[in-house]
């Protein structure tokens, strides 16, 4: 009896330690320190991922990190544009400083989205731009960005390559090892050309 009782007590102690550890990890992340613990917690899923093949789930999890980085990068670039132009030209910066063909294309995308059953993605016009259009915006307003980005040519090269990698990421394909290295280097290059 003692051995069963001892095992039961050990299990209870183990469970209590795990609960305390779990609580501590949650509090650490709530304080703003990212340790990746939240990602390990199982959340209610919209769809049971077990419905899909293991190898596809494995590839998706690998690519999820690249999507997060890509999302952050693209939206950081959009924010750089909007904050810079809004600061210099006020609330009419979109009408005054964005090339007419870009504004017209964005308007078409918004109208197409309005006519669909999906929700509008944003009130922000830049949310509808692609890397090609972001390049055009930088080029059309280069005097406003030349103190922030050291080279128009480097900016164009980097954003063009991001656009090519974006197609792989956005179309649910897997980056090979060379493209992963290229992606990492492009991010470093983008950070390096900003002054």
């Amino acid at each position: 009896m003692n051995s069963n009782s001892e095992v039961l007590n050990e299990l209870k102690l183990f469970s209590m330690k795990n609960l305390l550890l779990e609580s501590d990890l949650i509090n650490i992340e709530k304080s703003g320190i990212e340790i990746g613990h939240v990602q390990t917690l199982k959340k209610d899923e919209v769809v049971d991922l077990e419905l899909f093949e293991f190898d596809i789930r494995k590839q998706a999890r690998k690519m999820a990190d690249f999507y997060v980085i890509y999302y952050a990068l693209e939206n950081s670039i959009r924010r750089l544009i909007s904050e810079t132009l809004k600061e210099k030209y006020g609330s009419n910066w979109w009408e005054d400083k964005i090339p007419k063909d870009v504004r017209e294309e964005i308007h078409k995308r918004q109208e197409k989205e309005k006519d669909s059953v999906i929700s509008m993605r944003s009130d922000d016009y830049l949310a509808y731009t692609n890397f090609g259009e972001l390049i055009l915006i930088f080029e059309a307003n280069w005097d406003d960005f030349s103190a922030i980005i050291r080279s128009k040519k480097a900016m164009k090269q980097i954003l063009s390559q991001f656009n090519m990698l974006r197609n792989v990421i956005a179309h649910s394909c897997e980056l090979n090892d060379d493209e992963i290295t290229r992606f990492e280097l492009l991010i470093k290059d983008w950070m390096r050309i900003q002054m």
Side-chain angles (χ1 to χ4, degrees):
M1 276 294 211
N2 262 352
S3 64
N4 283 341
S5 177
E6 288 174 11
V7 169
L8 186 58
N9 285 336
E10 288 294 318
L11 282 173
K12 285 180 183 178
L13 182 61
F14 177 77
S15 296
M16 289 305 292
K17 285 180 180 178
N18 280 335
L19 286 173
L20 290 171
L21 177 61
E22 181 76 24
S23 177
D24 288 342
L25 292 173
I26 289 169
N27 287 332
I28 288 171
E29 288 203 334
K30 282 182 181 177
S31 75
I33 300 170
E34 290 187 43
I35 57 174
H37 173 68
V38 172
Q39 295 173 350
T40 65
L41 299 176
K42 179 142 174 97
K43 297 182 177 119
D44 291 334
E45 296 170 347
V46 176
V47 174
D48 181 7
L49 288 177
E50 297 299 319
L51 294 171
F52 303 102
E53 294 86 349
F54 174 77
D55 62 321
I56 293 174
R57 292 191 321 264
K58 183 178 173 186
Q59 292 168 344
R61 286 190 177 98
K62 174 184 173 189
M63 289 306 298
D65 289 338
F66 294 105
Y67 176 79
V68 169
I69 295 166
Y70 180 83
Y71 179 97
L73 170 78
E74 186 170 0
N75 284 292
S76 172
I77 293 169
R78 288 176 175 147
R79 183 175 290 170
L80 172 67
I81 290 171
S82 67
E83 287 178 355
T84 301
L85 295 179
K86 186 175 184 177
E87 181 181 314
K88 290 188 177 208
Y89 301 102
S91 59
N92 280 342
W93 66 270
W94 179 259
E95 288 297 323
D96 295 341
K97 300 306 291 179
I98 303 303
K100 183 180 179 187
D101 55 335
V102 172
R103 288 193 327 264
E104 288 172 353
E105 183 59 35
I106 298 313
H107 179 73
K108 287 179 192 174
R109 288 183 196 141
Q110 287 178 317
E111 288 301 311
K112 185 176 179 181
E113 206 166 88
K114 282 180 192 175
D115 291 337
S116 73
V117 296
I118 65 170
S119 301
M120 296 293 291
R121 73 180 89 165
S122 177
D123 292 334
D124 180 6
Y125 296 118
L126 284 176
Y128 292 86
T129 56
N130 59 39
F131 270 118
E133 290 155 343
L134 295 175
I135 290 170
L136 293 174
I137 293 168
F138 276 124
E139 289 180 327
N141 298 284
W142 185 249
D143 289 343
D144 299 314
F145 293 102
S146 62
I148 302 168
I149 301 171
R150 73 174 189 214
S151 166
K152 185 192 306 188
K153 185 176 181 180
M155 172 276 302
K156 190 173 181 177
Q157 287 175 339
I158 293 167
L159 295 188
S160 295
Q161 288 184 47
F162 273 132
N163 194 45
M164 290 177 12
L165 289 174
R166 174 229 173 260
N167 292 332
V168 175
I169 296 167
H171 293 284
S172 302
C173 296
E174 191 173 7
L175 291 173
N176 65 35
D177 291 342
D178 290 340
E179 300 312 322
I180 290 170
T181 302
R182 186 180 323 278
F183 188 65
E184 292 167 349
L185 290 173
L186 282 171
I187 290 171
K188 289 177 184 177
D189 291 342
W190 175 250
M191 297 304 174
R192 189 177 303 114
I193 68 167
Q194 294 180 63
M195 301 188 287

